[in-house]
Amino acid sequence: MPEMPEVQGLVNFLDGRLTGVRIDRVMLAGIAALKTYDPPIDALVGTTITGAARHGKFVDLSTDAGVHLVFHLAKAGWLRFTETLPATLIKPGKTPIALRVAFGDGSGFDLTEAGTKKSLAISVVRDPAEVPGIARLGPDPLDPAFSRATLAGLLSGRRTQIKGVLRDQSVVAGIGNAYSDEILHAAKMSPYALAATLDDAEIDRLYAAVHDTLTDAVATASGKPPAELKDAKRRGMAVHGRRGEACPVCGDEVRSVFFADNSLEYCPTCQTGGKILADRRLSRLLK
Ligand SMILES: [Zn+2]
């Protein structure tokens, strides 16, 4: 799943490559992916892209007609850009392609989604804030205004686990399962630490970890074509997706905690004082 750094890389690519380019055709193959009906998706046809922007994990393509194409790639969605778009027709229901956008210069992109659980979300709006997921977003951690005091304010009073707080888009925008694992590893903090109970030194470490982890990942993602972003993300991970491997900081074995539909990874020595966290699938059964 692309998170803020990959989405920023994608946005940088689209902004540089598509600004000033005209939208020639729009083909919607996955009807369920389109979450809006006014303006209609055809309102994009004939417009010229004026830029690309990121809101949390949402991509926002603006046009000279004041209409925006906004999408959220969710768990299994991706954008596939080609300089020469094939002329073949796409058949709804028989392809992972949900939306194809063709440009005046012969290029185009497909928004694709693998798997059966469809959560790719496409909106056509006059103002990105009309998208409920964007309206709900908390502050962006790479916004220069996001200070240590901002983070401390977001944590205070939340008696919930820090892992969940970091992933909650309405608290802080753009961080998902992978980068929250990485941030907590960098901060040497248990994923189960309660947000409201962090002391000043812990908030210092967490703030630095949020900032540095995301800044580094955005730098890695920037300048890469969309096809290379997923691999770049995977390569940059210290613990996420690395169960059984050695922690790059201390050499201890990276462990997982499994939940119903995902898992988190952490290093016991770096983050939990050596304690092995319980498998949540089992605890669910025991409840
Ligand atoms: Zn470690």
Side-chain angles (χ1 to χ4, degrees), residues 185 188 239 246-254 266-271:
H185 178 253
K188 300 193 179 299
V239 289
C247 165
V249 173
C250 73
D252 192 5
E253 182 185 335
V254 172
Y266 69 103
C267 167
T269 296
C270 290
Q271 295 175 253

Side-chain angles (χ1 to χ4, degrees), residues 171-185:
V171 176
V172 49
I175 301 170
N177 194 33
Y179 286 100
S180 55
D181 277 357
E182 294 299 299
I183 287 166
L184 290 169
H185 178 253

Side-chain angles (χ1 to χ4, degrees), residues 24-283:
D24 256 11
R25 278 174 303 142
V26 177
M27 288 151 280
L28 183 68
I31 305 287
L34 184 64
K35 306 303 177 191
T36 55
Y37 60 90
D38 178 31
I41 197 161
D42 285 341
L44 294 165
V45 177
T47 67
T48 297
I49 305 265
T50 52
R54 178 181 64 78
H55 312 279
K57 293 185 255 183
F58 290 82
V59 177
D60 167 16
L61 288 175
S62 53
T63 69
D64 63 350
V67 180
H68 296 247
L69 171 63
V70 176
F71 51 89
H72 187 287
L73 295 166
K75 210 165 180 135
W78 198 245
L79 180 146
R80 203 164 58 197
F81 178 85
T82 40
E83 288 294 344
T84 311
L85 199 64
T88 48
L89 291 172
I90 42 177
K91 294 195 178 76
K94 294 192 171 159
T95 164
I97 300 171
L99 178 72
R100 172 167 286 177
V101 182
F103 298 105
D105 63 2
S107 69
F109 66 70
D110 292 331
L111 293 184
T112 64
E113 188 171 33
T116 50
K117 198 181 159 211
K118 300 295 183 193
S119 41
L120 170 72
I122 300 166
S123 301
V124 180
V125 290
R126 292 183 184 87
D127 178 351
E130 290 169 35
V131 178
I134 292 180
R136 271 198 302 272
L137 287 175
D140 194 285
L142 290 189
D143 185 325
F146 189 96
S147 64
R148 185 201 179 278
T150 311
L151 179 66
L154 295 172
L155 301 176
S156 103
R158 282 182 205 279
R159 299 203 58 83
T160 45
Q161 292 168 351
I162 188 65
K163 170 81 180 173
V165 171
L166 289 176
R167 288 186 65 184
D168 184 340
Q169 301 302 296
S170 66
V171 176
V172 49
I175 301 170
N177 194 33
Y179 286 100
S180 55
D181 277 357
E182 294 299 299
I183 287 166
L184 290 169
H185 178 253
K188 300 193 179 299
M189 194 171 288
S190 167
Y192 294 171
L194 297 183
T197 65
L198 300 185
D199 63 25
D200 281 349
E202 287 170 322
I203 295 175
D204 284 346
R205 288 210 308 274
L206 185 61
Y207 179 70
V210 167
H211 185 269
D212 296 353
T213 302
L214 295 176
T215 302
D216 288 354
V218 166
T220 303
S222 294
K224 291 205 164 52
E228 290 175 25
L229 286 171
K230 278 194 241 184
D231 276 350
K233 176 186 176 193
R234 212 168 291 130
R235 273 199 305 276
M237 295 287 154
V239 289
H240 184 77
R242 299 206 178 276
R243 179 167 63 102
E245 295 180 34
C247 165
V249 173
C250 73
D252 192 5
E253 182 185 335
V254 172
R255 305 274 180 160
S256 289
V257 181
F258 290 95
F259 300 88
D261 58 356
N262 62 9
S263 66
L264 66 78
E265 276 80 45
Y266 69 103
C267 167
T269 296
C270 290
Q271 295 175 253
T272 60
K275 186 171 171 250
I276 307 295
L277 301 173
D279 187 328
R280 289 307 175 112
R281 285 175 305 188
L282 189 62
S283 346

